[in-house]
Amino acid sequence: DQPGSTDGTLKVGMVFDVGGKGDKSFNDSAYRGLLHAADQFGVEHTEFEPGQDADRETGLRKLAQARYDVVIGVGFLFSDAMRKVAADYPDVKFACIDFDPRPGETLPDNLAGLRFREEEGSFLVGVIAGFFSETGRIGFIGGMDIPLIHKFEAGYIAGAKYANPAVSVTVAYTGTTPQAFADPAKGKELALLQYRRGVDVIYHAAGSTGNGVIEAAREVDRQAIGVDSNQNYMAPGNVLTSMVKRVDNAVLMTVRSVVEGNFHGGLREFGLADDGVGYAVDEYNEDLLTDEMLAFVEDARQAIIEGTVSVPKE
Amino acid sequence: MFELAVLDSALRMATPLILASLGGLFSERSGVVNIALEGILLTGAFASIVATYYTGNPWAGVFAGVFAGVLISLIHAIVSIVFKADQIVSGVAINLLAMGLTQFLTWIVWGSSANSPSVQGMAHWSLPEIWGPVARGVNVVISHYPPLVYVALILVAVSHVVLFRTPFGLRLRATGEHPEAVDTLGVSVHAMRFAGVLLSGAFAGLGGAFLALNTHQFVKNMSAGRGFIALAAMIFGKWSPGGALAACLLFGYAEAVQMGFQGQAVPTQFVQMIPYVLTMVALVGVIGRARPPAAIGKPY
Amino acid sequence: MSERHAVQMRGITKRYPRALANDRVDLDVEVGEVHAIVGENGAGKSTIMKVLYGLTPPDEGSISLWGKELSGHRPADAIREGVGMVHQHFMLVDTLTVAENVVLGAEPCSHGCLLDVAAARERVRQLSSEYGLSLDPDDLIENLSVGLEQRVEIVKVLYRGAKILILDEPTGVLTPQEVRELFVILRALREAGRTIIFITHKLEEVLELADRITVMRDGRVAGVVSAAATTKEELARMMVGRDVLLRVTREEARPGEPVLQVAGLSAIGRKGSHVLEGIDLEVRSGEILGVAGVQGNGQTELVEVITGLRRASAGSVTVCGRETTNRSPRQMRDLGVAHIPEDRQARGLVLGFTVAENLILGRHHRKPFSSRGLLSLDDIRTHAERLIEEHDLRPRDPDGDAGHLSGGNQQKLIVAREFDGGPALLVASQPTRGVDIGAIEFVHTSLLRMRDQGAAILLISAELTEIMTLSDSIAVMYGGKIVAQFEGGAVGEEELGVAMTGGAGASAGGSAVRSDGRPPRHEMGAR
Amino acid sequence: MSRFARLSQLLSPLVAVAASFLVGGLVVVAIGENPFHIYAILFRGAFGSVDAIGLVLFNAVPLIFTGLAVAFAFRAGLFNIGGEGQLYIGAFVCTLAGLAFGGLPALVLIPLLILASAAGGALWAAVPGFLKARFGVHEVINTIMMNFIAVGLTSYFVINMLREPGQMTPQTSEIAFAGHLPRLADSLSLIGIPLPQANPLNFSLVLALGAVLLAWYILYRTTLGYEIRAVGMNAKAAEYAGINVRRTLVMAMVLSGAFAGLVATNEIMGFRHRFLDNFSSGLGFMGIAVALLGKNTPLGVLLAALLFAVLNTGALEIDIFTDVPRELILVLQAVTIILVVVGNEVFARRVAAREGRAAGVPLPVTEASGETK
Ligand SMILES: Nc1ncnc2c1ncn2[C@@H]1O[C@H](COP(=O)(O)OP(=O)(O)OP(=O)(O)O)[C@@H](O)[C@H]1O
Ligand SMILES: Nc1ncnc2c1ncn2[C@@H]1O[C@H](COP(=O)(O)OP(=O)(O)OP(=O)(O)O)[C@@H](O)[C@H]1O
Ligand SMILES: [Mg+2]
Ligand SMILES: [Mg+2]
């Protein structure tokens, strides 16, 4: 029997990252996972977005005190709070997306740190961008200028050079505050500027700021690459592909493991090998991607999985 | 530095600032401090997206943005003019209100308190190509920017004329300088100040509509401090439409340059400080003391 | 309602939070007369006029103009009925031009909605020449002298076709010449059939100009008299409710050592021109040196330089034998220089402070009020209670807000503070401006007593009578220079007046005088 | 002041708060929820347990500091919108010192870090203060600009130079343990108050209460406070009185910034023990609202900060356990401010009207001389 569940239904709490529900990107991916879980296992769930940093810890604690069975924090900013709260509530299962471990840290049995090799997925969309670009100039627009986003940038650049060593990459960041993940107006301007300078593909890793990037692509009829969720539908024909980070799968998997009683703590990394990251092909972009291109990308993917190509993180 | 793309970008970035600072100008010229520009921008942005979402017509969004700006500035007017409360307090409260209300309503309308779905944007102006080479020539000019950019520029000129060449403008300026004098001449100070504050709501609301419609969606806090920058621009521009325009263009330009020249040797954070440092240096070095309307902030 | 009455007010009552400003006031003004209203500070004169003009709604009472009763009227209605008002504190917008100020609220238009600036200019020129006002429609108000500002106010009223002119203390800030010119204008207006109501504290003026006089006291009408049938003494008694000394008696001065020596003093104004040029003065202990002059001829700047509020560009100031040029205000105060500033609300008082806090202003950092950075509340209070007692400040509440005192009591507060502690030098600038005759009497007696106790006093006043009554010697300033010096008692009002306008014998035209011959507006302590 | 005046001064904020709850309740009804349920949850979140009350106090502490900062500057006639930047720099300097002086004993390190926090904030505020005093540049613009600059600067150093080794999170390593302010749980349990160990409330609360007293003391009991108030109310009179207006302006900004900087005692020394990039999310701006609501008096700031903390703490509860989003609380806070200022005005007018009537009692008739005509 699960602790705390009075009528036997599992209670899952989810706490979002900056940008919040509806960002069509990172948070939405996590939320989709939660909804799937609710569908499949009939769990009861609540979710919210903390107002200030201290609320992260307080919020997790409140969920634990309210006898939630699983508490999921979306984003690495929850790492510290998760450590503390997990230690205080050994009966509650915690999962942290993008958990940021200290070197050599081992996690308690009730805390799962779920990490993604974003650089690998970014590498593949970089390959596509490098392959696709006619001008030989591609762009990257990051949200907040922080190490996590540098991973996306590094993988993307490496992938592009892998496809076309002569390609040049223009890099820009929206800002240095969390607001940088939620400023589509600025995202659009940054993108327009890059397009005007001859860039023809831009990969964004900028939350809802990226909506502006995609909007710019639509407006000037160039290409954008979405991130985290599959964003191809947002401007059919102008979103070359999306680097999908399967946060939804990770969430679903976590809930399933609790339901099935085989949840265990510790770090877990999702990469290309286990479909934790990837690129999206669907009806909105299949016309943009040639078979030759796809074959090339698939080769790259295999090479990464087999370890013959190594992807930089910084 | 003077790359055309950067200049274009500067003008577009400056547009919401221009509109908001014109708004601030009308309010402050009538003697009412308007620190609520930030909140009005946000409200205008939200309303424009809601209206566009339901009607599918971005011009309905523009109208709604203006209307919502007027509505929320009406609160400022009533609180600070009728009830003579501290204008800064009222402005701070309105910023808070706008932040809460737009998120709350975003949640009611779309189920997320942070983001709206994408809506129809505003088409650039253009004459039909079949009108021949003349139309093509005109289009080079009028379809280069989103329509509201042109509207904003025209409004700068209109504001100048209204302020300095009409009886209304004369009365408005006099009200900001010496409300008692205006009162003794049989002109209602309250009416002038209401006009100033509501106009500021209309302008800043329009600025918000531009901000949101240009990105086709509403995102919480999307004004992102632009109201404050607009306020700075208005002071920088010494409370005149031309000056405010110049200041907004400068800020827009600094921001565009910052965007355009990132990723080179200097860290992003430092590049992003350029507009702020520039403003401070300019205020000390070039501009010196700006002289606000004499009766500003004083209830009457 | 009588035909011959331009104004009839009945039973007007107006209450303010802390005062009953008008208490069942009746006022009748006949068509075509000059009607004066006199009374002490706070008697309710301004209030009754504001009620008439529709600026302040009365709590009770009725108002009729031309026999027609008004109710709930606003200034716009009063203007329409032909009432115009020149306010005690001028209602001019500094940053606008003369023409803009005149047409404000009743602007001529062209092209439908644009301001017709040319028409505005033309009207001002026309009115100005009709009554000999010599105004330039394009001048900015901030560049005008007070006398000219007043003319702008008059043109504003005339532009609106006023048939009843209200002037609230119009002569308080004018030179004798300007007063005479104003009277000429007012007489011309009366000849032209207009009705004039004017408020003043100066009884000579009343008797000279008015046909009838309403005397107010404590918010009530104390009486209505005809100018022909009354005297100054009677008016004063009605105003104050007792006999008043209209002239203080003055002993011969017994001057001692020089306390203030000013040599070759110059100062530069905001626009780079000399506002002071080569001033030489000496004031000895036990002596009053009066400085006469039209406002704006450097008196303000002279006082500011002497008290450390403005920098001198050349020359020296010596106090008690010590060179003190360009010392800070605090250093000057610590040397025993006291200062009654010309603008009590702008400089002399902190209006949000209590009476007690205001009574230590300038000495708040010294013992006993402050030691080791901490305030000594007991000593501050004792000090306040003593001064309130000695100077009869009302209300007798050290914790009351100084902003709630009447003008006269505010001035008394400053006088009390600056007289206290036996200063070596007292710089008194316009010490009785706008205060009533009772308070004037008090200030004048106090100044003389201080002199007799050995203080040196530099008295700056635009009020010639004041200068002549109190001074042991007199200097006249014009265009930033001392243009004449006289022994007290050895000079007549006429002679002084001539020197003040830079005429006869005075070396006219300092560089501070603008090319159009008007003195520059004084610049407030921009350092 | 009459009893009526005093009473209404006390009552007007209470009435306003009640009225804003009414408005909020109507909004809740409008979206089809039960307002009593929502408010019950709000108050459970704020007062439901010792833990909850501890959280309220914890959330109040930074607001007290930033509120005092705004209120203090206001007294000198300065509008300090820069609390946000000042608290970042205060926190940054505090963290630097906490990292650098790890060898010192707590008895030395704690006071040192408190000073460092205040000094950082003071330094950041001194710049706009100086620019105002020296060049007359409006402090509102400069404080806004310096907020952006502070965020950028700290962000750069934290991410690029001081980041905890091996960590992706943009935060520094933990400061020396000797520099941690103890949590209050242990001390309170000594006097029988069962505050859970995990509650973040710490000794910074004591500092905040001390700061309230200090601000009051400086303003009303020291010569400097007298000069600050004089400059704020009438700078020309202050100059006339021999007060060095420029120096006083800078001093007021310095003290104001110091109060803002002290936020670090709670956030860094008491709670997080490290600098997290962008940790504040608008505490400085909230301080403006707090100061204004508290009418710029130290005691008022304390009460307003508590009110806001109650609402913020309850907001989290509402957010988690109901379908109503926390933004309702933002609306509530805004409406409270508006109603308080409007209420002040309305009450002031009623008081005026009442006292006017009191003044209107007929005076004893003085012998008014008749007409001499
Ligand atoms: N706006 C106001 N608010 C409160 N009290 C006022 C106001 N205006 C005038 N009073 C009070 O009303 C009384 C009459 O003031 P009023 O200005 O009419 O006097 P006055 O006769 O014009 O004096 P003075 O000769 O100094 O100009 C005074 O006691 C004053 O304190
Ligand atoms: N809004 C107000 N609230 C309270 N008291 C006021 C207000 N306005 C004016 N007063 C009071 O009214 C009194 C008279 O005001 P007024 O401006 O007529 O001064 P005054 O005595 O006529 O001096 P002056 O001749 O220099 O104008 C003062 O005591 C002033 O404190
Ligand atoms: Mg008067
Ligand atoms: Mg008066």
Side-chain angles (χ1 to χ4, degrees):
Chain A
D1 197 72
Q2 301 299 332
S5 41
T6 43
D7 55 357
T9 37
L10 204 65
K11 289 166 78 179
V12 182
M14 177 173 276
V15 198
F16 289 116
D17 199 0
V18 179
K21 196 157 88 176
D23 67 353
K24 304 190 187 78
S25 184
F26 181 57
N27 289 295
D28 274 359
S29 180
Y31 188 53
R32 233 179 356 258
L34 184 61
L35 293 181
H36 281 165
D39 256 10
Q40 286 190 16
F41 311 112
V43 299
E44 187 186 326
H45 61 93
T46 187
E47 63 282 330
F48 70 95
E49 194 192 330
Q52 49 182 16
D53 174 60
D55 281 356
R56 295 202 171 94
E57 183 179 329
T58 314
L60 295 178
R61 248 176 232 292
K62 289 201 178 230
L63 288 173
Q65 281 164 5
R67 310 186 67 78
Y68 273 75
D69 305 281
V70 187
V71 177
I72 301 171
V74 184
F76 65 91
L77 283 174
F78 287 94
S79 307
D80 264 355
M82 280 280 175
R83 278 185 193 103
K84 289 185 197 157
V85 181
D88 288 348
Y89 297 91
D91 290 344
V92 181
K93 312 280 186 259
F94 293 89
C96 181
I97 311 290
D98 286 349
F99 186 82
D100 188 15
R102 302 230 148 77
E105 180 177 16
T106 50
L107 298 187
D109 206 38
N110 64 331
L111 171 56
L114 310 177
R115 293 163 55 80
F116 296 83
R117 296 199 200 101
E118 294 91 353
E119 68 280 7
E120 294 184 356
S122 301
F123 188 93
L124 295 189
V125 298
V127 170
I128 296 177
F131 206 98
F132 181 90
S133 174
E134 288 167 4
T135 60
R137 305 181 64 176
I138 61 172
F140 174 81
I141 293 177
M144 196 174 164
D145 194 352
I146 45 170
L148 173 69
I149 306 301
H150 297 167
K151 267 166 80 178
F152 290 76
E153 178 194 335
Y156 175 68
I157 294 177
K161 302 258 183 205
Y162 179 81
N164 173 8
V167 80
S168 76
V169 189
T170 311
V171 175
Y173 281 86
T174 320
T176 51
T177 65
Q179 183 73 43
F181 286 118
D183 193 347
K186 197 151 178 192
K188 182 174 178 184
E189 280 306 330
L190 278 168
L192 285 177
L193 200 57
Q194 293 195 356
Y195 288 134
R196 277 284 285 279
R197 291 172 160 182
V199 163
D200 56 359
V201 183
I202 299 175
Y203 174 39
H204 87 83
S208 54
T209 297
N211 299 354
V213 176
I214 293 174
E215 183 46 44
R218 205 191 50 71
E219 194 171 299
V220 299
D221 196 20
R222 301 276 173 83
Q223 296 300 327
I225 296 176
V227 80
D228 292 347
S229 290
N230 179 351
Q231 299 185 320
N232 296 358
Y233 73 97
M234 287 173 63
N238 294 109
V239 180
L240 186 57
T241 181
S242 300
M243 196 292 275
V244 289
K245 174 166 163 181
R246 301 307 301 263
V247 180
D248 49 349
N249 285 349
V251 168
L252 186 63
M253 190 205 75
T254 303
V255 177
R256 178 186 300 126
S257 68
V258 176
V259 170
E260 292 172 355
N262 55 13
F263 178 92
H264 55 89
L267 286 177
R268 169 107 206 252
E269 274 212 330
F270 300 89
L272 284 178
D274 41 11
D275 277 336
V277 293
Y279 60 96
V281 182
D282 58 14
E283 71 265 35
Y284 300 109
N285 70 339
E286 57 195 6
D287 295 344
L288 297 168
L289 306 175
T290 61
D291 292 343
E292 183 196 3
M293 196 189 287
L294 289 175
F296 190 78
V297 177
E298 281 305 313
D299 286 350
R301 176 221 277 280
Q302 279 312 316
I304 293 170
I305 293 173
E306 286 159 14
T308 51
V309 167
S310 77
V311 181
K313 295 187 182 204
E314 274 188 70
Chain B
M1 287 296 260
F2 296 102
E3 190 185 334
L4 216 55
V6 174
L7 294 177
D8 279 352
S9 196
L11 183 53
R12 282 188 305 257
M13 306 279 287
T15 298
L17 301 181
I18 294 171
L19 288 167
S21 61
L22 282 181
L25 197 65
F26 276 98
S27 173
E28 302 226 339
R29 280 287 189 166
S30 78
V32 182
V33 179
N34 200 343
I35 202 166
L37 290 178
E38 177 77 7
I40 303 176
L41 271 176
L42 199 57
T43 313
F46 171 78
S48 70
I49 295 300
V50 174
T52 313
Y53 179 76
Y54 284 114
T55 62
N57 180 351
W59 284 102
V62 169
F63 178 78
V66 171
F67 184 72
V70 171
L71 261 176
I72 194 149
S73 65
L74 185 64
I75 301 179
H76 188 42
I78 291 173
V79 172
S80 62
I81 302 171
V82 177
F83 288 103
K84 300 180 172 41
D86 188 294
Q87 297 166 3
I88 291 176
V89 181
S90 167
V92 168
I94 284 171
N95 286 337
L96 212 57
L97 181 69
M99 199 155 84
L101 206 58
T102 52
Q103 288 177 48
F104 189 68
L105 293 175
T106 308
W107 174 81
I108 288 180
V109 180
W110 296 296
S112 146
S113 52
N115 303 285
S116 82
S118 288
V119 301
Q120 175 75 47
M122 195 172 280
H124 286 211
W125 274 326
S126 64
L127 300 176
E129 291 276 330
I130 46 167
W131 290 14
V134 179
R136 273 195 293 278
V138 171
N139 282 349
V140 169
V141 180
I142 66 167
S143 70
H144 191 66
Y145 298 105
L148 291 184
V149 172
Y150 301 99
V151 172
L153 293 177
I154 292 166
L155 283 175
V156 172
V158 170
S159 300
H160 181 88
V161 171
V162 167
L163 268 180
F164 297 106
R165 295 276 178 277
T166 66
F168 171 79
L170 180 66
R171 293 174 186 196
L172 194 80
R173 286 183 289 138
T175 307
E177 291 288 338
H178 197 335
E180 262 181 300
V182 172
D183 196 12
T184 57
L185 293 173
V187 177
S188 161
V189 172
H190 281 197
M192 292 316 295
R193 291 196 162 174
F194 260 88
V197 173
L198 296 189
L199 272 174
S200 100
F203 277 97
L206 183 61
F210 172 81
L211 198 63
L213 287 171
N214 196 39
T215 45
H216 300 221
Q217 75 166 147
F218 178 78
V219 175
K220 80 169 183 189
N221 277 339
M222 73 183 305
S223 48
R226 288 178 178 89
F228 290 108
I229 301 282
L231 200 68
M234 176 200 70
I235 296 173
F236 206 176
K238 299 193 168 178
W239 286 268
S240 79
L245 172 70
C248 291
L249 288 177
L250 177 70
F251 290 163
Y253 181 65
E255 216 179 336
V257 166
Q258 177 271 119
M259 295 190 326
F261 296 90
Q262 267 185 33
Q264 280 143 37
V266 191
T268 329
Q269 285 94 342
F270 291 103
V271 184
Q272 294 196 322
M273 283 174 211
I274 292 173
Y276 313 122
V277 176
L278 199 67
T279 305
M280 292 181 67
V281 170
L283 283 177
V284 170
V286 195
I287 308 296
R289 285 158 205 253
R291 179 168 155 185
I296 197 157
K298 296 183 190 119
Y300 185 79
Chain C
M1 294 280 165
S2 148
E3 277 296 294
R4 63 193 180 91
H5 281 129
V7 177
Q8 280 194 312
M9 303 176 81
R10 286 286 170 270
I12 302 291
T13 296
K14 176 69 198 175
R15 297 181 194 90
Y16 279 119
R18 277 159 207 89
L20 180 58
N22 285 160
D23 183 10
R24 288 162 282 160
V25 171
D26 296 340
L27 179 70
D28 294 310
V29 179
E30 290 166 18
V31 174
E33 75 168 338
V34 173
H35 193 107
I37 301 178
V38 297
E40 286 187 281
N41 288 123
K45 308 179 297 290
S46 296
T47 304
I48 189 78
M49 288 301 110
K50 287 181 188 167
V51 167
L52 172 59
Y53 191 61
L55 267 178
T56 309
D59 297 317
E60 286 156 34
S62 67
I63 302 158
S64 316
L65 287 175
W66 319 108
K68 199 174 75 187
E69 182 155 343
L70 299 175
S71 67
H73 72 299
R74 302 270 312 135
D77 308 305
I79 292 169
R80 199 167 337 104
E81 293 296 329
V83 181
M85 181 158 175
V86 174
H87 295 265
Q88 183 172 1
H89 305 282
F90 292 156
M91 297 291 176
L92 296 172
V93 184
D94 269 356
T95 52
L96 300 182
T97 65
V98 169
E100 285 172 327
N101 267 286
V102 168
V103 300
L104 184 62
E107 302 86 353
C109 281
S110 63
H111 303 102
C113 62
L114 293 186
L115 190 62
D116 190 343
V117 183
R121 266 195 213 114
E122 190 41 45
R123 277 296 283 155
V124 172
R125 237 179 243 124
Q126 194 186 332
L127 284 168
S128 157
S129 67
E130 193 171 323
Y131 293 95
L133 302 175
S134 53
L135 285 173
D136 178 347
D138 292 327
D139 269 342
L140 281 183
I141 298 296
E142 59 188 354
N143 297 330
L144 295 188
S145 69
V146 183
L148 284 172
E149 285 187 8
Q150 185 171 60
R151 293 179 181 192
V152 178
E153 286 283 17
I154 293 175
V155 172
K156 265 166 78 175
V157 168
L158 296 177
Y159 171 78
R160 286 166 175 72
K163 287 176 294 210
I164 302 171
L165 272 77
I166 305 168
L167 297 103
D168 193 350
E169 289 191 34
T171 59
V173 290
L174 301 183
T175 62
Q177 275 81 0
E178 284 176 325
V179 170
R180 220 164 300 126
E181 286 164 22
L182 174 68
F183 282 11
V184 170
I185 296 167
L186 294 183
R187 287 204 184 91
L189 287 167
R190 177 171 57 183
E191 293 314 308
R194 308 199 196 223
T195 306
I196 294 167
I197 307 175
F198 92 104
I199 298 176
T200 181
H201 291 296
K202 296 176 189 163
L203 301 180
E204 304 85 1
E205 292 173 1
V206 176
L207 295 177
E208 184 185 339
L209 190 70
D211 299 310
R212 291 198 310 145
I213 302 157
T214 295
V215 183
M216 291 187 70
R217 168 152 47 104
D218 286 342
R220 302 183 177 181
V221 174
V224 181
V225 295
S226 121
T230 188
T231 60
K232 262 161 72 171
E233 287 71 19
E234 191 193 12
L235 283 175
R237 201 179 329 107
M238 284 170 73
M239 281 165 62
V240 186
R242 63 179 166 88
D243 285 322
V244 185
L245 286 173
L246 286 178
R247 217 161 234 278
V248 289
T249 49
R250 184 159 64 92
E251 310 279 317
E252 228 6 76
R254 285 184 307 275
E257 292 297 301
V259 172
L260 172 71
Q261 288 157 301
V262 172
L265 196 67
S266 299
I268 309 268
R270 201 166 33 187
K271 287 164 196 148
S273 60
H274 274 91
V275 285
L276 290 180
E277 216 176 342
I279 302 271
D280 298 308
L281 286 176
E282 184 180 282
V283 193
R284 290 167 296 175
S285 79
E287 175 186 65
I288 297 181
L289 171 65
V291 176
V294 178
Q295 218 181 25
N297 275 283
Q299 300 96 314
T300 307
E301 290 80 4
L302 176 63
V303 168
E304 286 178 350
V305 172
I306 291 174
T307 54
L309 289 164
R310 172 187 286 271
R311 290 194 71 78
S313 60
S316 70
V317 178
T318 309
V319 173
C320 299
R322 273 202 265 177
E323 152 100 42
T324 60
T325 324
N326 291 335
R327 295 280 183 90
S328 73
R330 174 159 295 176
Q331 287 170 318
M332 299 308 291
R333 285 189 166 271
D334 291 351
L335 280 170
V337 178
H339 174 196
I340 298 173
E342 62 175 10
D343 188 338
R344 60 178 167 252
Q345 297 210 338
R347 268 231 197 268
L349 293 170
V350 177
L351 289 182
F353 269 8
T354 63
V355 170
E357 285 174 321
N358 268 296
L359 281 170
I360 60 166
L361 196 65
R363 284 195 283 155
H364 61 274
H365 62 290
R366 290 208 305 253
K367 288 200 156 126
F369 310 123
S370 164
S371 66
R372 281 188 240 104
L374 300 183
L375 295 176
S376 162
L377 297 187
D378 290 342
D379 290 302
I380 294 171
R381 195 180 173 83
T382 323
H383 173 75
E385 279 164 354
R386 179 172 60 82
L387 289 189
I388 288 173
E389 185 62 38
E390 282 175 16
H391 292 260
D392 191 24
L393 286 179
R394 286 180 217 181
R396 302 177 160 259
D397 176 12
D399 300 323
D401 183 343
H404 291 145
L405 297 180
S406 77
N409 275 298
Q410 290 181 345
Q411 188 71 0
K412 274 170 145 180
L413 191 164
I414 294 172
V415 168
R417 179 183 71 210
E418 298 303 314
F419 280 20
D420 191 58
L425 170 67
L426 172 67
V427 181
S429 193
Q430 320 291 356
T432 58
R433 174 184 288 171
V435 305
D436 63 60
I437 44 180
I440 291 175
E441 177 189 0
F442 168 81
V443 171
H444 285 180
T445 337
S446 307
L447 280 171
L448 286 173
R449 196 179 53 234
M450 279 203 66
R451 179 198 75 165
D452 294 340
Q453 288 165 357
I457 297 178
L458 182 67
L459 170 70
I460 290 91
S461 177
E463 208 75 55
L464 278 191
T465 350
E466 181 162 80
I467 293 277
M468 304 209 346
T469 318
L470 299 174
S471 307
D472 300 309
S473 55
I474 298 173
V476 180
M477 282 192 80
Y478 179 74
K481 296 179 179 173
I482 302 284
V483 291
Q485 273 197 284
F486 305 95
E487 279 308 300
V491 59
E493 197 160 313
E494 273 312 301
E495 204 178 337
L496 270 183
V498 171
M500 280 164 64
T501 46
S507 62
S511 56
V513 179
R514 300 170 4 151
S515 53
D516 54 4
R518 289 193 216 113
R521 188 188 173 79
H522 73 252
E523 295 170 17
M524 302 307 291
R527 304 203 318 152
Chain D
M1 227 188 329
S2 71
R3 254 184 57 202
F4 178 74
R6 235 178 320 219
L7 195 69
S8 44
Q9 236 188 8
L10 207 73
L11 279 181
S12 75
L14 293 182
V15 173
V17 171
S20 66
F21 270 92
L22 195 71
V23 173
L26 292 178
V27 173
V28 173
V29 171
I31 60 172
E33 297 271 344
N34 177 351
F36 296 104
H37 175 63
I38 301 292
Y39 284 143
I41 288 189
L42 176 93
F43 287 112
R44 188 186 76 196
F47 301 112
S49 62
V50 177
D51 194 20
I53 295 172
L55 280 175
V56 168
L57 294 176
F58 171 75
N59 284 330
V61 168
L63 298 182
I64 294 173
F65 285 126
T66 53
L68 283 179
V70 176
F72 200 86
F74 216 90
R75 284 313 176 101
L78 294 165
F79 192 34
N80 180 8
I81 310 194
E84 189 77 357
Q86 290 145 23
L87 73 87
Y88 271 116
I89 300 294
F92 186 69
V93 175
C94 170
T95 308
L96 278 185
L99 292 172
F101 302 111
L104 296 176
L107 226 54
V108 181
L109 189 56
I110 287 181
L112 180 74
L113 294 194
I114 294 175
L115 278 182
S117 310
L123 174 84
W124 209 245
V127 176
F130 172 78
L131 294 178
K132 165 88 171 190
R134 177 71 184 75
F135 300 103
V137 186
H138 206 306
E139 75 280 2
V140 164
I141 307 185
N142 277 336
T143 49
I144 292 174
M145 298 298 141
M146 291 196 55
N147 283 339
F148 291 113
I149 296 174
V151 171
L153 270 184
T154 54
S155 171
Y156 173 77
F157 285 111
V158 169
I159 291 172
N160 299 318
M161 319 199 68
L162 297 167
R163 186 147 42 102
E164 188 178 10
Q167 280 277 283
M168 182 166 68
T169 313
Q171 62 184 18
T172 65
S173 305
E174 196 162 291
I175 60 170
F177 180 74
H180 293 196
L181 273 182
R183 299 220 162 163
L184 280 181
D186 287 333
S187 320
L188 288 179
S189 71
L190 289 182
I191 54 169
I193 300 175
L195 189 68
Q197 286 293 329
N199 193 288
L201 185 63
N202 59 75
F203 268 95
S204 180
L205 173 70
V206 180
L207 296 179
L209 297 177
V212 171
L213 271 180
L214 182 68
W216 174 85
Y217 190 80
I218 293 177
L219 281 175
Y220 296 102
R221 289 290 180 273
T222 68
T223 316
L224 176 66
Y226 177 93
E227 298 194 341
I228 286 176
R229 288 184 295 131
V231 169
M233 285 189 269
N234 186 347
K236 287 183 74 171
E239 181 192 23
Y240 153 87
I243 295 170
N244 186 332
V245 174
R246 293 176 175 188
R247 198 187 66 105
T248 309
L249 285 177
V250 176
M251 275 308 289
M253 272 311 270
V254 161
L255 287 168
S256 164
F259 283 121
L262 285 174
V263 167
T265 59
N266 192 53
E267 303 289 315
I268 307 294
M269 300 174 67
F271 173 59
R272 204 169 284 107
H273 304 142
R274 54 175 93 241
F275 191 106
L276 169 69
D277 190 20
N278 273 293
F279 67 85
S280 156
S281 57
L283 291 172
F285 295 107
M286 260 321 181
I288 301 172
V290 166
L292 297 174
L293 196 57
K295 297 188 189 168
N296 294 307
T297 64
L299 185 64
V301 164
L302 176 64
L303 296 176
L306 285 171
L307 173 66
F308 271 51
V310 164
L311 293 175
N312 287 340
T313 311
L316 183 64
E317 198 88 355
I318 290 183
D319 214 11
I320 300 178
F321 297 110
T322 75
D323 282 340
V324 179
R326 65 170 337 100
E327 284 71 32
L328 174 69
I329 299 304
L330 269 182
V331 176
L332 214 63
Q333 287 171 337
V335 173
T336 306
I337 297 177
I338 292 173
L339 290 179
V340 165
V341 291
V342 168
N344 282 342
E345 248 335 288
V346 172
F347 275 105
R349 283 185 204 181
R350 297 227 25 197
V351 169
R354 248 176 112 109
E355 291 183 353
R357 270 199 297 288
V361 175
L363 303 167
V365 179
T366 43
E367 25 79 65
S369 43
E371 284 202 328
T372 332
K373 197 169 176 181

